[in-house]
Amino acid sequence: FEHERVHHAKRFSPVLRQLVAGGRALAHDVYATSLDIAARARRAMDAVFDDVDVLITAAAPGEAPLGHASTG
C-alpha cells in the first residue's frame, strides 16, 4: 500500500486520504496496544459461540444515507 500512497495519493478519495493520514499519525505504542486489544476481543468472541451456532445482529447502526457517495 505504501507504493500507492507515495505515488498515487492524489487519486485517493478525501475520506481515504484522511483515514491514511490518521493512521500514519498514530503512535506505535497506541497501535500496538490496539492490536493487543483486538486480539483479546477475538479470543473472547470464541467463548460467545461455545453455546450457540449463530449470532444475529444488525448490519448497520441505522438506515443507509441517500445517494452513492457512501456505501452506507
Side-chain angles (χ1 to χ4, degrees):
F1 185 79
E2 185 66 5
H3 174 83
E4 285 77 12
R5 187 192 66 78
V6 170
H7 298 286
H8 305 289
K10 290 180 181 178
R11 296 174 65 184
F12 292 177
S13 70
V15 172
L16 181 56
R17 279 195 298 272
Q18 185 177 8
L19 286 170
V20 170
R24 291 180 52 80
L26 195 64
H28 182 269
D29 61 327
V30 173
Y31 177 67
T33 299
S34 298
L35 290 177
D36 182 57
I37 291 169
R40 285 188 280 135
R42 283 190 296 275
R43 288 191 299 271
M45 280 303 296
D46 287 341
V48 170
F49 291 99
D50 282 346
D51 297 322
V52 297
D53 294 324
V54 68
L55 181 65
I56 298 174
T57 183
E63 65 185 59
L66 294 175
H68 297 285
S70 174
T71 60

